[in-house]
Amino acid sequence: MTGTKIRMKKIISKDSKTVIVALDHGQFQGPMEGIRDIRTTIKNVIGAKPDAIILNPGVIQDNSDILGGETAVLCRITGASTNYSTQFDYHRITTSVKNAMAIGADGVVAMGFIGGNGENSSLEILGKIGEECSEYGMPFIAEMLVQDQDHFTDAKYISLGARVAYELGANILKVYYSGFDSFSQVIGSVPIPVVIAGGPKGKDSFEMAQEALSLGAHGVAFGRNVFQSEDQKAYVEKLIRTVHGISRG
């Protein structure tokens, strides 16, 4: 586990907080606004010096010359479904932990689902990823989603998903914010860092981040709110000030 501990220090800062920017949406949503020119977006984002960015393996390989600096690279290793899919149940493995290491990733990200038809197979995959990450000393970030839309931001469901991922070997959890009155339940469900996802563009992300931090969250993992903003670099800089209380630019 020595490798995991060393690599975790690059993802989580000394203040136990992290700003992660997710730029992996192209795998399932295609060349959407903000990441159509992914290379320029990567340059804008890493120019603000976030703690980590999430990318798909092909993007990491194609942009290796501008990666590998202060910002940790997290490789998305699950997916295999697009917005046009006629049947969605759960994410499959799209590349291995070993390949993520080979292309220079500092950690891997996998999506897990509970409360739907894909739960059993999804959790089986998370277990296998957890085992592989332990073998190679790679940090494992589990992004847990509730498939039942009636309980998508239900703290009880999110807490269960978080705990299951932790039990299967996750080192960091990415979840949706359930609200000020209930999110402490999610934080209390696991002894590992929890970061919040951004959700749909248009919400007050900074206020949400401050609330989550006050309840014990270790940071944020925002995507669309960042890359669809008017000034991507400035947006990340503001996130860093919100989470870490400092400027890195």
Side-chain angles (χ1 to χ4, degrees), residues 132-174:
E132 205 174 343
C133 284
S134 180
E135 179 182 356
Y136 290 111
M138 279 288 273
F140 172 21
I141 298 88
E143 182 175 358
M144 299 304 292
L145 294 181
V146 180
Q147 284 183 298
D148 185 342
Q149 292 301 301
D150 291 335
H151 297 281
F152 192 70
T153 57
D154 186 325
K156 184 177 180 180
Y157 278 67
I158 296 172
S159 296
L160 174 60
R163 184 67 188 208
V164 169
Y166 160 68
E167 299 274 350
L168 292 175
N171 304 110
I172 299 173
L173 287 162
K174 176 184 175 183

Side-chain angles (χ1 to χ4, degrees), residues 11 75-76 155 195 216:
I11 302 167
C75 182
R76 166 76 65 182
V195 300

Side-chain angles (χ1 to χ4, degrees), residues 10 15 25 48 55 61-62 73 76 87 92 108 126 131-132 135 143 167 176 199 201 212 225 249:
K10 194 170 182 181
D15 62 359
H25 297 59
L55 298 169
Q61 291 174 287
D62 197 40
V73 177
R76 166 76 65 182
Q87 180 181 351
R92 274 68 168 177
V108 300
L126 291 190
E131 179 181 349
E132 205 174 343
E135 179 182 356
E143 182 175 358
E167 299 274 350
Y176 277 98
K201 184 175 179 290
N225 288 292

